[in-house]
Amino acid sequence: MSPDLNNPQALRALVRPREVHRALYLDPGLFDLEMHQLWRNTWIYLGHDSQVPEPGDFYSTQVAREPLIMIRGSDRRVRVLPNRCAHKGTKLIGAVSGTCAGGTIRCPYHGWTYRLDGSLRTVPLKAAYDGTGFEDSAAAQGLRQLPAVNYRGFVFVRLAAEGPDFHDYFGTSLSSIDNMVDRSPAGRLEVAGGVLRYLHDCNWKMFVENLNDAMHPMVAHESSAGTARRLWESAPEGTPPPMVIEQFVPFVNGYDFFEKMGVKVYDNGHSYTGVNFSIHSNYSNIGEYERRMAEAYGDERARSILGEARHNTVYYPSLTIKGPIQTIRVVRPLAVDKTLIESWTFRLVGAPDEILARTATYTRLINAPTSVVGHDDLHCYRSIQQGLSAGSNDWVSLHRNYSPAEAQDVEGTYGATNEAPMRGQYRAWAKFMTLGLKED
């Protein structure tokens, strides 16, 4: 089945209350439409403001195939600009990060220059434009600032000029970012080190679905985390577990553990596992860190902040964060069957070095291309992508624990083995894929 990409009703028909059509993972035309609709109409994570600490500092990347610049202006405000000269379309900045010399952005082709807020500064041979109507053209307006919000250091952009309000779109799901930032005694995060990039041979939605899928860990990770658990069982009784065992072994807890962990589902595709506890709940205490937190927030507030142990929070469709371990993963779709995943590590400003060491260990163990756990997931993603090519069944089941009440509202708290988070994601997919499309 090749869907009618111009028909909103046909697009919505690909998402049923309890299943989705396999074309969502396989159809290149549908992927192109996702880049034009879903990824433009929603708020997409671009970067962290600690990557551009001083005026003129920039970070460049792509969102939905569009090259963008995150840049700090002379007023210290962080903006998002198109990485494209208003004259001939030349990409203005080729480096991933750096500083604009002289506080201006200069085109490498014809030398047009722009201020850090995107306004046009100089045009060579400007007198040659007199009487041409240039002053009324789009080029004369410089670089159009894109709708962007800096929420506690996390910078999100919406490519579409019109669309949902930032706070309406994310709602109270932003509490996961709040908790992650509040884990710093100074209330600030900084990107620590570089980025780990990991190419996945699958559709981007498989990765996002998997983040709050609590049914796969004890199966997919049995060969890796299960082996580590069996090896650790041979250690002498009373031996304190090393950090890698604390982080690794909980992946193969049983169904009962993950069910009781709980999952919170929000509108617009957002969700998190770990309502009650999570695989991050039983890390060893670091006394100096807890002391600094108590000094910063008071005993009661510090205990409340550190008592949250959310596992994966999905900010649909582009970002997942792990607050208790201060890591994020960013989704960069490349093609219908190719997805780049970026893993970033954060430093809690004001926390002792042991906290960053724990974060770095987790990133290498779980999220790096050289990790042990990650290859389990990659094998599954690749197998799904290949298996869906079999035409014996056009539909992918999301029936587990479905309730007819979800037809009205999927928001709520569920046992974590429920497939409600995935059903919520596809409700959001249908909503934003058809936003602004002309109805028949």
Side-chain angles (χ1 to χ4, degrees), residues 183 239-247 279-290 306 324-325 354-355 358:
R183 285 174 175 270
T239 303
M243 187 183 297
V244 292
I245 292 297
E246 286 188 339
Q247 295 177 342
I279 66 172
H280 307 297
S281 291
N282 294 317
Y283 294 158
S284 298
N285 294 334
I286 298 177
E288 175 60 19
Y289 171 52
E290 295 174 0
L306 299 180
I325 203 67
E354 291 92 329
I355 297 295
R358 183 168 68 184

Side-chain angles (χ1 to χ4, degrees), residues 39-344:
W39 283 73
R40 290 181 60 84
N41 288 327
T42 56
W43 289 92
I44 305 299
Y45 175 73
L46 185 64
H48 194 266
D49 70 0
S50 66
Q51 295 172 265
V52 290
E54 298 299 330
D57 289 350
F58 66 82
Y59 170 71
S60 69
T61 187
Q62 283 195 342
V63 170
R65 297 172 172 160
E66 292 199 19
L68 302 176
I69 308 165
M70 179 176 68
I71 190 165
R72 191 176 290 273
S74 55
D75 58 359
R76 303 200 65 84
R77 178 183 162 194
V78 176
R79 295 175 173 85
V80 178
L81 305 174
N83 193 357
R84 172 210 150 138
C85 183
H87 177 212
K88 299 284 284 187
T90 310
K91 193 174 179 181
L92 292 166
I93 290 177
V96 173
S97 61
T99 302
C100 294
T104 61
I105 305 169
R106 184 176 186 271
C107 177
Y109 190 21
H110 289 100
W112 286 34
T113 66
Y114 303 86
R115 299 177 185 88
L116 299 180
D117 64 0
S119 59
L120 186 61
R121 182 174 180 268
T122 62
V123 176
L125 301 178
K126 190 174 182 180
Y129 292 89
D130 290 347
T132 66
F134 170 73
E135 65 275 8
D136 297 322
S137 71
Q141 311 312 309
L143 309 177
R144 177 179 64 88
Q145 294 179 30
L146 295 167
V149 171
N150 182 351
Y151 185 79
R152 305 200 68 180
F154 290 79
V155 179
F156 292 82
V157 63
R158 192 188 66 216
L159 295 179
E162 302 292 334
D165 172 79
F166 176 83
H167 287 279
D168 289 344
Y169 181 69
F170 287 116
T172 55
S173 73
L174 292 170
S175 58
S176 288
I177 291 179
D178 292 334
N179 178 258
M180 183 170 170
V181 177
D182 289 345
R183 285 174 175 270
S184 158
R188 296 200 321 276
L189 302 178
E190 293 177 346
V191 168
V195 58
L196 297 170
R197 293 187 171 92
Y198 207 164
L199 185 63
H200 290 43
D201 294 328
C202 68
N203 187 272
W204 66 271
K205 294 185 289 296
M206 292 177 190
F207 172 82
V208 177
E209 285 180 57
N210 187 69
L211 293 167
N212 282 337
D213 180 318
M215 287 292 291
H216 81 279
M218 69 294 295
V219 179
H221 302 310
E222 197 281 331
S223 61
S224 55
T227 299
R229 180 175 61 183
R230 289 190 293 273
L231 290 172
W232 180 245
E233 287 171 352
S234 65
E237 186 175 351
T239 303
M243 187 183 297
V244 292
I245 292 297
E246 286 188 339
Q247 295 177 342
F248 202 8
V249 169
F251 278 83
V252 283
N253 281 319
Y255 292 121
D256 186 60
F257 172 91
F258 284 101
E259 170 68 11
K260 291 178 179 178
M261 191 167 70
V263 61
K264 174 70 173 177
V265 179
Y266 300 93
D267 196 12
N268 297 326
H270 319 306
S271 61
Y272 75 84
T273 42
V275 175
N276 303 310
F277 55 83
S278 78
I279 66 172
H280 307 297
S281 291
N282 294 317
Y283 294 158
S284 298
N285 294 334
I286 298 177
E288 175 60 19
Y289 171 52
E290 295 174 0
R291 184 188 68 78
R292 295 186 192 182
M293 287 290 288
E295 284 184 354
Y297 295 101
D299 290 340
E300 184 176 353
R301 175 67 178 139
R303 283 194 298 270
S304 175
I305 293 169
L306 299 180
E308 286 281 352
R310 301 180 186 187
H311 179 35
N312 286 319
T313 297
V314 172
Y315 288 110
Y316 191 75
S318 66
L319 173 67
T320 176
I321 76 169
K322 285 178 174 284
I325 203 67
Q326 298 90 57
T327 65
I328 69 171
R329 282 177 287 181
V330 184
V331 182
R332 307 286 190 200
L334 303 178
V336 70
D337 58 355
K338 296 288 181 186
T339 305
L340 185 68
I341 302 299
E342 297 179 347
S343 294
W344 297 86

Side-chain angles (χ1 to χ4, degrees), residues 393-422:
N393 177 9
D394 276 340
W395 296 92
V396 175
S397 169
L398 296 175
H399 288 75
R400 192 166 58 248
N401 297 117
Y402 173 77
S403 166
E406 291 180 25
Q408 299 300 319
D409 188 3
V410 73
E411 287 194 83
T413 301
Y414 305 83
T417 61
N418 198 308
E419 287 180 317
M422 299 77 170

Side-chain angles (χ1 to χ4, degrees), residues 9-20:
Q9 293 181 355
L11 292 171
R12 285 191 283 265
L14 298 173
V15 177
R16 295 174 177 173
R18 288 158 286 191
E19 53 192 2
V20 297

Side-chain angles (χ1 to χ4, degrees), residues 371-433:
S371 77
V372 182
V373 169
H375 292 284
D376 296 336
D377 290 321
L378 257 69
H379 171 76
C380 294
Y381 301 151
R382 188 182 303 114
S383 295
I384 297 169
Q385 193 72 38
Q386 293 170 347
L388 285 175
S389 295
S392 57
N393 177 9
D394 276 340
W395 296 92
V396 175
S397 169
L398 296 175
H399 288 75
R400 192 166 58 248
N401 297 117
Y402 173 77
S403 166
E406 291 180 25
Q408 299 300 319
D409 188 3
V410 73
E411 287 194 83
T413 301
Y414 305 83
T417 61
N418 198 308
E419 287 180 317
M422 299 77 170
R423 294 190 290 266
Q425 289 172 19
Y426 285 107
R427 286 166 68 108
W429 184 93
K431 174 181 177 180
F432 292 106
M433 281 290 284

